[in-house]
Amino acid sequence: MSKNVKNTAGARERETYRHGDLRHALLEAGIALAREGGPGAVALRAATRQAGVAPNAAYRHFASREDLLLAVRAYALSQLAIVIETELARLDPAQSRADLARAGLRAVGAGYLAFAHANPGLFHTAFSSHEPVEADADPAKAGHSGMNPFQLLSGALDRMLEAGVLPPQRRPGAEYMAWSAVHGLALLVSDGPLHSMPDGMRNAIGQRLLDMVEKGL
Amino acid sequence: MSKNVKNTAGARERETYRHGDLRHALLEAGIALAREGGPGAVALRAATRQAGVAPNAAYRHFASREDLLLAVRAYALSQLAIVIETELARLDPAQSRADLARAGLRAVGAGYLAFAHANPGLFHTAFSSHEPVEADADPAKAGHSGMNPFQLLSGALDRMLEAGVLPPQRRPGAEYMAWSAVHGLALLVSDGPLHSMPDGMRNAIGQRLLDMVEKGL
DNA sequence: TGTACATCAGTGAACGCGCGTTCACTGATGTAC
DNA sequence: TGTACATCAGTGAACGCGCGTTCACTGATGTAC
């Protein structure tokens, strides 16, 4: 059992100078910072402050600021993957293979857009690094199924190919097309002019974009 | 005539303590900083250092760091507009109105992608603010024609409408569709995995994306 | 044409900030006997 | 069951950094006479 007690500020009052679960607490703090201010706001000192611990205590658990940021980024990517998978799980399997494949791509896009809108700070953090997302097999960045967002997109396109909805010559590089369109809109929706738009209108625009991708691919 | 002489570092050796064109020099420095490190790298102290001037001298010309950043952003947007206009100017006017309208949209997209690839730091600076681009009529953010990038895109879509290439019911909100797709790819191309891709391949992907937008819109 | 003077661009010094990171340390913990 | 001890998580103090910004100043400039 934890010997720690929450104080009014939400930080911990420790009976001992031993925290108990500092790595986790720092990660949580880093996630909170990313939520509020994006990747640039993730700082070791701020995280230790929030955890109620000396600044240098962070170095028992993270090698550097970059290391913490990476962990937060992994979390953000896994959350995104989970939202996409939730959307995929809602699909009606009792439709034709072709329809199901098409709906799968839409579900990936819709989950992506929903996440970006609901978690702008985390969304930006997820894509703040130039490290390619697609080459990553780190399970920490994956959702329930163990796949990361890019792999989920690839899977959806593969199913469209298999269902004969996507011509084989169009398959290579199709990720870039779909990802570009959805990612661009996700930025508008997370940050930009579309963030404060009424839900219905924003969703309609999202659906139109997904129409465009489906028809244009 | 300037009394200033370039020294070896490219900064100025002033005979007098009067600079002569400090606002311009600071803006140039800010642009250079943005080019190299994106919006976060634009700092008053760094700019004054590069201009060979005391840190607080900046306040004779810019009210704050934010003010300098805004000026750099305006420059970046106007450069983007100019690249797009250059692309538009290369269109062959001796084609059918429909073809010309379609080519116009492609030109806007191609210019956008070319700028993002060639100037990643400036590109990110141009869109670092959440201030809507479309509502902006500031001539400092416009190109030769006085139109900003968003207005150039709107114009291209209008011409498609007039040429009968874009159904009227599809016109409203079409900016968001086209902008999303191209902006998403521009990010991949400026920063991401597609930056170091061979020119031919990258351009081919750009063209495919523009195909998708044209067909899917 | 020459001189006094007001203007205001750039100076020099300083402030407080938050940051990442290193050092030698201390004391709570779990374990070996 | 009790005690000595090694481990290592968190401490306290300090470093140097670059940043934005404010203050009272100084001296080159252009202008009015």
Side-chain angles (χ1 to χ4, degrees), chain A residues 5 8 37 45 55 60 64 79 81 87 99 102 111 119 128 131 135 139 142 172 174 177 183 186 189 191-192 196 211:
Chain A
V5 178
T8 52
R45 286 193 98 106
R60 291 282 161 207
S64 64
Q79 287 304 107
E87 207 69 31
D99 284 351
R102 272 191 281 254
N119 310 280
S128 60
E131 185 189 324
M177 308 294 127
H183 188 70
V189 145
D191 254 340
S196 42
D211 286 343

Side-chain angles (χ1 to χ4, degrees), chain B residues 12 19-32 47 50-51 58 61-62 68 71-72 75:
Chain B
R12 306 283 172 165
H19 184 284
D21 197 12
L22 185 52
R23 189 191 155 86
H24 185 244
L26 290 173
L27 182 53
E28 287 295 323
I31 291 165
Q50 187 157 332
H61 305 280
F62 296 95
L68 172 62
V72 174
Y75 171 84

Side-chain angles (χ1 to χ4, degrees), chain A residues 10 17 26 46-47 128 143 149:
Chain A
Y17 81 109
L26 290 173
S128 60

Side-chain angles (χ1 to χ4, degrees), chain A residues 113-135:
Chain A
L113 291 172
F115 181 83
H117 178 252
N119 310 280
L122 282 185
F123 179 72
H124 278 96
T125 306
F127 295 104
S128 60
S129 163
H130 304 163
E131 185 189 324
V133 182
E134 64 263 60

Side-chain angles (χ1 to χ4, degrees), chain B residues 7 9-14 19 22 24-36 41-55:
Chain B
N7 70 11
R12 306 283 172 165
E13 294 275 8
R14 277 169 292 148
H19 184 284
L22 185 52
H24 185 244
L26 290 173
L27 182 53
E28 287 295 323
I31 291 165
L33 290 165
R35 263 184 208 289
E36 289 186 24
V42 178
L44 285 180
R45 287 193 99 107
T48 52
R49 213 179 300 128
Q50 187 157 332
V53 118

Side-chain angles (χ1 to χ4, degrees), chain A residues 14 17-20 22 54 56 60-61:
Chain A
R14 279 170 291 147
Y17 81 109
R18 218 56 170 258
H19 183 283
L22 185 53
N56 50 356
R60 291 282 161 207
H61 304 280

